Amino acid sequence: MIRYDTIRLAAYVPTPEAEWTVPYYTLSFPQSHRKRLLDLYRLGLKWPDKSLGVPVGRLNALLQALAPEVVSVAKWLDVSHDEPWLYARRPVPHDVFSTLMHTWVRDLRPEKEYRQAVRDVLSELRPGELRWERREIPMLSRTPTPGGTAEPDGRLYQLLPDALADRVLSLKPFTYAGGSLEFRGVARRPSDRGAELLSWPPDRHEDRDGRAWWFSALLTLTLQTVPFSPEFRIHLRCGVRRWATRTGVHGLRLPPRRATSVYLLADAPWIADSPESWASARFSVGRLRYDRDLRAQRWEAGGPDGMLSRLRLRQPLPEPDDLTRQPTNWLAGPERVTAAVVYSTMMGSHGVKAGLMPGDRVPLTEWFESALPDGLVRAPDQVRADRYLKARRRAKEHDETPEPDAWETAARRREMAELLGGGPLRVEFRWLTEPIRDAGVQALATVLGLTGEAARKPVRESGDRRGETLSWQMPELTVELYLARIGGLADNLLLSADDQWRTSALHKAIAARRDQVVQLLPGAAADGRASLALVEIHDPDAYTPRSADPKFALRLGFRDAGRVTQFVVNPRRTTVRPADVKTARSRKLEACWMDGFRQLGHRVMPDHGLGSAVPADTQYAALWLVKRRRDGPTRQADLVPIAIRIRPGESAAERITGWDTRTGEWVSYPALLMRLAESAELPTVADTDDIDTDDVDDADDGDDTEPGWAPESRTEQRKRAVADSVQEILFSLRDRPTLLLAHAQNARLLWPWLQNGHIERDVVQLHGRAPQRVGLQGPGLRLVRVRDNAGTETPQWWGHGEQIADDGAEEERFGIATGLWKPPGCGPQNRVFGSTGEKAGPGTKVSVMASRWTFRTYTRDGKTGSMIDTDKLAWNPGLLEVAVAGCQPGDDPELWAALTHRLRQSPGRAPMLALPLPLHLARKAAEYVLPTTPDQSTEPDEDDGAVQLCFDFGVIAP
């Protein structure tokens, strides 16, 4: 394996004195107009005085669909000033803008009783008289925060990527061996962040069965900041956009309870009476959403009473039914309109796999760099931060995953015996299919090193149900495995298609299944200790309607019977070769048992290997916030803080504990899971009104607040609740040196100090309280904030070096590198590092030179051939940003960054964790608060940090 001493980032920074201005046409709304719109919006609201701004999300969506040239930089229309929020590279025709504004204003208050009020507002606003003004926008404007972090002008988060995208579109097409890619821009909303470029026409891939699949190259540009850095960064993400291809009997299967994006391209302006010159080369984006009244898919903001129905279009949008039944027919642009439905993993498998490997990303990145203006340069290559870390030999990337050896399994048995206080390990497996049952038994024997023939004993359950117990007697541990069919418990909940949206019907169905589980299972252990149940259920696609998936109800029912649960899915289809199915199944079941043991509190601690530099009694802690949405499985909004504490030197029972927010004490990890499940309890009253998912609050997890609500909004209350919880947790950790870990994207909305605009070195601030030196919160406290690549907040990267070619010339070498990284030439008090891991799961056997478009040569068994990798998953390990925010006097920040990096390294044969172990355990505990994820991906995307182990037979994350 090649060792790289530097990594290159797809990130770009302004030089210190650089200036770059770009002309835009802007539209200002006078403050009086904004106030009038706010008064209209407030009509009929339950708490009108709490609304301080007008939401423009639906107008932004309308502009994105019908006026893709317009860039919006706001989610709310603030009445306190009259700064423009709409920008365009050319003026929008008055008739076009007036038509869109009239439609949106009517949509603000569509109720019959407010029609006259709408007319009055429109007569006062006279949108047709508003004028677009040309302005020179400084693209590199930024000011430092008190913590030394660059703070760009807020509108630049949309405008700077948009201006860069325009420069890229002026380049000659990107060429590769055998072809070229020509790009188009894509309309974006503020919630989409940044700019997007798409290659068009799409590329076609034909699989082994002769079936065609369609895809495009995708470039995404976003503006990001880095804590304590005086310069912001532009991040470039290179990937693929796959288009919906496979259809079933009823057409495409669209994700339930969320919109599906459709990219639209017309050869004429959308709005009737628009001048022909207003035709856009950009893709518009519309969204299809299921309409419960129509019982069919409809265009978002459409339907009988929607905004689209009030507009006179030059050409209509495709009929949703036609589009979903024959999606590939619209890729060729029949009837002057091209439409491409974005593929989702909920639609089934796709012949083109996700992501790009460096072999594709590097040339695309270098092509993009030729469009950079003066003053924007590539960020310096990162160098190894190895003052404390020593290289560790790991298994070769392409080796098969080794079986655990006798020493490893014996140690696991000893630790389990210690955890159970010398008692036997009693687990059960509720199975559906015999192949999975047999693989589960063998997997348990493998991970625990159980030898010899198991003793079998038949057992009768309630009624005529029968099972059997298998037992092994090992020197360190007695293991008892109870096997029984799960039967009808894994079937659909008793929920009809008509009832799937009714909260009371869902609660009733869940309660009934939960009672069935309790009646079947024996009671909880007398000592109150949780036991483990491995439960096989059907593939999520097997449940109709989707909300009839019983996983949520089973988890609650098994919890009532004193059991933690690990689910194994019986896939409806598999993409691996028959010869590989057995191996994939075995690996999957082994990982399931290991994750089940994690729920019992068993987890091998990584050896940090940093010696006496880290105090011997250092404990690790992590905070994770679970924000439950009202349109989720429980149909209730809630906030649940989860804190995990790890004390490596303690006994097994005390090694991993969790914070019980109700009692204010640290409890064992399985006890925490059982108590967290109580927060997922459903109300006993029948109930709550049925919800409309279009109106569900969807607070962004970014650095934004809620400008549309008064200070004592629900978010404000949650911020105060989080501050109280964090203060209690910090106080409980004061007895010894502590490394506290927090995840930026997860916690910063409700702990604002974690935001880049607020964070300061060696200071901790809880919401609503004065900032304090970190030592006042704990004499041995160190606080590290990590950030992953969600939202491209950390850049794509690759290992970079030079090598000598056969002709003696130097050429670039690139690949994947594991390590801790820092900026070159940084001082000893540098606070921001990057942590990277090796390829894992399906990415281990994919060459870094794999390409979606180009054939490459290979040599295997002495023979040379060529191949193309369009059907290979290009999984790249993401870059985890490690910001050492809080240190004690005299600390070396690199030491605590190195410790954080080492906490990602799992012992044994598992790949590196996506997050340090304490955060990993906290995030996994959240499954007991959010037992199901309705739209969980069945295929990892590139750079997917959540993937721990992946097999084509199924995706698992131990």
Side-chain angles (χ1 to χ4, degrees):
M1 180 178 177
I2 300 174
R3 174 183 167 89
Y4 293 91
D5 291 322
T6 63
I7 61 171
R8 179 156 290 179
L9 309 179
Y12 306 90
V13 297
T15 55
E17 304 300 327
E19 294 184 1
W20 179 38
T21 60
V22 176
Y24 273 94
Y25 286 88
T26 67
L27 185 72
S28 296
F29 249 42
Q31 189 172 358
S32 59
H33 286 33
R34 296 169 182 253
K35 181 65 168 61
R36 195 70 184 88
L37 286 170
L38 178 60
D39 292 340
L40 174 64
Y41 173 66
R42 284 174 167 177
L43 294 177
L45 292 183
K46 196 170 184 179
W47 294 289
D49 294 339
K50 287 188 176 182
S51 295
L52 304 179
V54 181
V56 293
R58 289 172 69 81
L59 174 60
N60 289 339
L62 195 65
L63 292 170
Q64 187 184 29
L66 302 178
E69 297 288 336
V70 178
V71 179
S72 173
V73 299
K75 302 175 186 178
W76 295 84
L77 191 59
D78 195 342
V79 299
S80 62
H81 57 82
D82 59 357
E83 285 296 313
W85 96 94
L86 296 178
Y87 292 74
R89 299 305 294 271
R90 52 180 174 158
V92 180
H94 298 313
D95 290 343
V96 173
F97 186 72
S98 180
T99 298
L100 294 172
M101 283 297 298
H102 273 79
T103 303
W104 172 64
V105 171
R106 291 190 178 97
D107 186 69
L108 274 179
R109 286 268 71 95
E111 299 87 353
K112 294 180 180 179
E113 58 268 32
Y114 301 123
R115 286 179 179 174
Q116 185 57 49
V118 170
R119 295 190 192 100
D120 294 342
V121 170
L122 287 173
S123 65
E124 294 179 23
L125 294 182
R126 296 187 292 277
E129 298 181 6
L130 297 173
R131 294 292 180 266
W132 291 78
E133 299 178 359
R134 189 176 188 274
R135 298 188 182 187
E136 295 287 334
I137 309 299
M139 287 288 139
L140 306 181
S141 174
R142 70 271 191 198
T143 56
T145 68
T149 302
E151 186 171 26
D153 185 333
R155 58 188 173 174
L156 295 184
Y157 284 95
Q158 292 299 113
L159 295 182
L160 179 51
D162 181 76
L164 281 174
D166 267 3
R167 292 180 64 93
V168 175
L169 293 175
S170 67
L171 297 175
K172 294 180 180 179
F174 169 75
T175 59
Y176 59 90
S180 63
L181 300 175
E182 187 169 352
F183 286 83
R184 289 179 179 266
V186 178
R188 303 279 278 180
R189 297 182 294 179
S191 57
D192 296 327
R193 302 286 179 92
E196 187 175 292
L197 297 169
L198 190 74
S199 69
W200 201 262
D203 281 276
R204 180 180 184 272
H205 168 66
E206 188 172 302
D207 63 20
R208 295 177 181 177
D209 298 326
R211 184 164 189 170
W213 305 87
W214 300 90
F215 68 104
S216 296
L218 179 68
L219 304 181
T220 305
L221 295 166
T222 58
L223 174 60
Q224 307 289 346
T225 60
V226 179
F228 317 128
S229 172
E231 305 298 345
F232 58 70
R233 293 197 306 208
I234 289 288
H235 289 176
L236 169 68
R237 181 184 185 273
C238 301
V240 295
R241 175 72 77 203
R242 295 173 290 172
W243 305 113
T245 303
R246 171 181 289 180
T247 56
V249 177
H250 303 291
L252 287 175
R253 175 170 185 172
L254 301 184
R257 306 177 70 83
R258 76 177 188 191
T260 298
S261 295
V262 182
Y263 284 45
L264 302 162
L265 193 63
D267 61 359
W270 288 103
I271 304 296
D273 302 325
S274 301
E276 289 291 337
S277 62
W278 189 245
S280 178
R282 288 190 180 192
F283 276 95
S284 301
V285 181
R287 286 171 173 80
L288 293 176
R289 186 183 291 274
Y290 184 79
D291 187 302
R292 283 182 277 160
D293 295 327
L294 298 176
R295 296 194 175 187
Q297 297 290 333
R298 66 165 174 83
W299 289 104
E300 200 170 58
D305 301 316
M307 289 190 287
L308 293 177
S309 65
R310 305 189 191 108
L311 290 168
R312 193 161 63 92
L313 302 180
R314 188 184 297 257
Q315 59 257 328
L317 298 176
E319 287 295 327
D321 187 61
D322 293 341
L323 192 57
T324 55
R325 286 187 178 276
Q326 295 180 316
T328 57
N329 288 357
W330 289 89
L331 296 176
E335 301 180 9
R336 304 176 64 187
V337 175
T338 296
V341 181
V342 175
Y343 165 77
S344 163
T345 54
M346 297 291 289
M347 299 174 183
S349 62
H350 199 286
V352 177
K353 297 305 179 184
L356 298 178
M357 292 302 286
D360 278 334
R361 285 195 284 123
V362 172
L364 272 171
T365 300
E366 292 174 346
W367 172 78
F368 161 82
E369 289 174 356
S370 63
L372 291 175
D374 292 339
L376 270 182
V377 297
R378 187 177 61 234
D381 294 345
Q382 304 284 288
V383 299
R384 288 191 178 273
D386 54 6
R387 192 180 316 148
Y388 297 95
L389 297 175
K390 295 180 180 179
R392 290 186 173 185
R393 185 180 180 276
R394 300 182 65 86
K396 293 182 179 179
E397 274 190 358
H398 301 285
D399 285 352
E400 293 294 329
T401 303
E403 296 291 339
D405 58 28
W407 181 90
E408 180 184 346
T409 55
R412 189 172 293 150
R413 294 193 301 269
R414 288 193 297 270
E415 291 162 358
M416 187 65 71
E418 181 185 359
L419 181 67
L420 299 173
L425 171 63
R426 295 189 175 96
V427 295
E428 59 190 283
F429 187 6
R430 302 280 170 169
W431 54 274
L432 272 172
T433 56
E434 292 183 0
I436 296 291
R437 178 202 62 189
D438 296 342
V441 173
Q442 181 57 49
L444 179 64
T446 298
V447 297
L448 290 178
L450 306 177
T451 58
E453 188 71 22
R456 295 178 178 267
K457 177 182 177 182
V459 178
R460 180 182 293 274
E461 286 189 332
S462 59
D464 295 329
R465 297 179 66 92
R466 296 183 180 181
E468 64 173 339
T469 297
L470 278 62
S471 59
W472 293 264
Q473 184 69 50
M474 302 298 291
E476 304 88 355
L477 180 69
T478 298
V479 179
E480 297 178 2
L481 169 63
Y482 178 68
L483 295 170
R485 288 184 181 272
I486 190 170
L489 293 179
D491 293 343
N492 272 27
L493 296 179
L494 297 179
L495 191 68
S496 68
D498 293 336
D499 287 339
Q500 64 176 308
W501 303 109
R502 296 187 59 82
T503 302
S504 55
L506 177 62
H507 288 181
K508 182 178 179 180
I510 290 174
R513 182 61 50 86
R514 186 174 174 176
D515 288 343
Q516 287 180 276
V517 173
V518 174
Q519 292 170 14
L520 171 68
L521 300 182
D527 59 3
R529 189 191 302 273
S531 60
L532 169 64
L534 187 62
V535 181
E536 182 184 1
I537 58 176
H538 297 290
D539 186 276
D541 292 343
Y543 297 109
T544 305
R546 190 69 178 212
S547 51
D549 189 330
K551 184 178 180 181
F552 181 14
L554 293 176
R555 176 150 274 164
L556 293 180
F558 276 89
R559 170 253 170 198
D560 292 340
R563 291 155 171 85
V564 293
T565 45
Q566 173 63 28
F567 293 94
V568 56
V569 174
N570 178 26
R572 302 178 74 179
R573 63 181 69 90
T574 177
T575 59
V576 302
R577 295 175 299 176
D580 295 333
V581 168
K582 185 176 180 180
T583 299
R585 185 184 292 136
S586 298
R587 299 299 182 216
K588 179 176 184 177
L589 269 297
E590 289 170 22
C592 287
W593 282 119
M594 291 300 294
D595 197 52
F597 297 159
R598 183 266 307 171
Q599 296 179 52
L600 291 177
H602 174 270
R603 194 63 163 81
V604 179
M605 296 295 108
D607 174 16
H608 60 66
L610 302 177
S612 60
V614 177
D617 58 346
T618 298
Q619 60 187 355
Y620 318 132
L623 174 71
W624 191 266
L625 302 181
V626 183
K627 291 157 286 200
R628 195 166 62 201
R629 289 166 50 96
R630 192 160 59 94
D631 62 340
T634 65
R635 303 284 170 87
Q636 284 185 297
D638 198 6
L639 168 69
V640 182
I642 296 176
I644 298 298
R645 185 188 69 185
I646 298 178
R647 291 180 165 177
E650 298 290 336
S651 64
E654 299 293 329
R655 194 171 298 153
I656 304 175
T657 54
W659 180 255
D660 189 333
T661 56
R662 297 171 305 173
T663 63
E665 61 178 345
W666 294 97
V667 299
S668 68
Y669 189 73
L672 172 70
L673 300 183
M674 303 293 278
R675 297 185 189 189
L676 286 174
E678 295 178 19
S679 68
E681 295 279 0
L682 301 174
T684 55
V685 294
D687 106 80
T688 68
D689 296 328
D690 293 340
I691 64 170
D692 184 349
T693 56
D694 289 350
D695 297 329
V696 173
D697 171 52
D698 189 13
D700 191 277
D701 278 355
D703 292 355
D704 302 303
T705 56
E706 291 182 280
W709 292 94
E712 286 302 321
S713 66
R714 183 176 63 188
T715 298
E716 179 69 18
Q717 295 170 2
R718 289 182 170 186
K719 288 177 181 177
R720 295 184 182 277
V722 168
D724 291 341
S725 294
V726 172
Q727 185 64 79
E728 292 180 359
I729 293 166
L730 288 175
F731 185 80
S732 73
L733 297 171
R734 294 173 64 90
D735 60 332
R736 63 175 67 186
T738 302
L739 172 64
L740 176 64
L741 298 159
H743 187 281
Q745 290 104 319
N746 167 259
R748 68 187 174 203
L749 178 66
L750 300 180
W751 189 358
W753 175 77
L754 292 174
Q755 298 173 13
N756 286 351
H758 298 297
I759 197 167
E760 295 184 52
R761 293 177 177 87
D762 304 331
V763 171
V764 177
Q765 183 175 18
L766 303 178
H767 185 66
R769 307 176 192 189
Q772 292 181 314
R773 301 294 298 176
V774 68
L776 296 178
Q777 289 287 357
L781 178 65
R782 281 86 176 179
L783 197 152
V784 170
R785 191 203 76 172
V786 301
R787 182 165 59 151
D788 59 29
N789 60 349
T792 68
E793 292 196 31
T794 62
Q796 288 186 326
W797 64 277
W798 57 89
H800 177 262
E802 301 293 339
Q803 63 183 3
I804 305 300
D806 294 338
D807 59 2
E810 285 191 357
E811 62 181 13
E812 184 179 17
R813 185 184 73 224
F814 46 82
I816 304 298
T818 302
L820 184 70
W821 311 91
K822 62 184 178 181
C826 64
Q829 288 303 307
N830 170 63
R831 295 299 184 98
V832 181
F833 302 82
S835 172
T836 61
E838 70 273 33
K839 293 189 292 184
T844 55
K845 296 185 178 181
V846 178
S847 168
V848 294
M849 297 303 297
S851 176
R852 294 283 180 256
W853 298 279
T854 305
F855 278 88
R856 62 181 177 88
T857 59
Y858 68 90
T859 301
R860 186 180 302 156
D861 299 330
K863 297 180 180 180
T864 301
S866 63
M867 65 183 299
I868 194 167
D869 304 281
T870 313
D871 60 346
K872 304 292 193 304
L873 180 65
W875 187 81
N876 296 273
L879 178 75
L880 185 71
E881 179 187 270
V882 178
V884 183
C887 286
Q888 298 294 327
D891 275 354
D892 182 352
E894 186 172 322
L895 170 66
W896 299 99
L899 177 57
T900 302
H901 174 73
R902 277 285 163 82
L903 287 173
R904 295 183 59 195
Q905 295 179 329
S906 296
R909 58 201 175 111
M912 287 185 69
L913 298 171
L915 296 175
L917 180 60
L919 275 172
H920 172 75
L921 295 176
R923 182 170 65 175
K924 295 293 287 183
E927 294 175 354
Y928 278 77
V929 183
L930 300 172
T932 59
T933 50
D935 300 322
Q936 183 174 356
S937 171
T938 58
E939 179 181 290
D941 199 356
E942 65 166 339
D943 306 333
D944 185 354
V947 176
Q948 301 303 321
L949 286 177
C950 246
F951 302 102
D952 288 337
F953 186 74
V955 180
I956 46 181

